[in-house]
PDB file of all heavy atoms in Angstrom:
ATOM      1  N   LYS A 110      -0.615  -3.361  16.371  1.00  0.00           N
ATOM      2  CA  LYS A 110      -1.803  -2.973  17.141  1.00  0.00           C
ATOM      3  C   LYS A 110      -2.119  -3.990  18.233  1.00  0.00           C
ATOM      4  O   LYS A 110      -2.251  -3.644  19.397  1.00  0.00           O
ATOM      5  CB  LYS A 110      -3.000  -2.872  16.185  1.00  0.00           C
ATOM      6  CG  LYS A 110      -3.660  -1.541  16.236  1.00  0.00           C
ATOM      7  CD  LYS A 110      -4.802  -1.376  15.254  1.00  0.00           C
ATOM      8  CE  LYS A 110      -5.006  -2.533  14.387  1.00  0.00           C
ATOM      9  NZ  LYS A 110      -5.593  -2.575  13.209  1.00  0.00           N
ATOM     10  N   LYS A 176     -19.309  -0.412  31.938  1.00  0.00           N
ATOM     11  CA  LYS A 176     -20.181   0.315  32.877  1.00  0.00           C
ATOM     12  C   LYS A 176     -20.575  -0.592  34.033  1.00  0.00           C
ATOM     13  O   LYS A 176     -20.482  -0.192  35.199  1.00  0.00           O
ATOM     14  CB  LYS A 176     -21.433   0.797  32.140  1.00  0.00           C
ATOM     15  CG  LYS A 176     -21.188   1.968  31.211  1.00  0.00           C
ATOM     16  CD  LYS A 176     -22.485   2.389  30.561  1.00  0.00           C
ATOM     17  CE  LYS A 176     -22.302   3.601  29.683  1.00  0.00           C
ATOM     18  NZ  LYS A 176     -23.544   3.949  28.978  1.00  0.00           N
ATOM     19  N   GLY A 258      14.200   5.676  13.796  1.00  0.00           N
ATOM     20  CA  GLY A 258      13.532   6.239  14.962  1.00  0.00           C
ATOM     21  C   GLY A 258      13.305   7.744  14.866  1.00  0.00           C
ATOM     22  O   GLY A 258      12.429   8.294  15.520  1.00  0.00           O
TER      23      GLY A 258
END
Side-chain angles (χ1 to χ4, degrees):
K110 236 177 357 203
K176 286 181 177 176

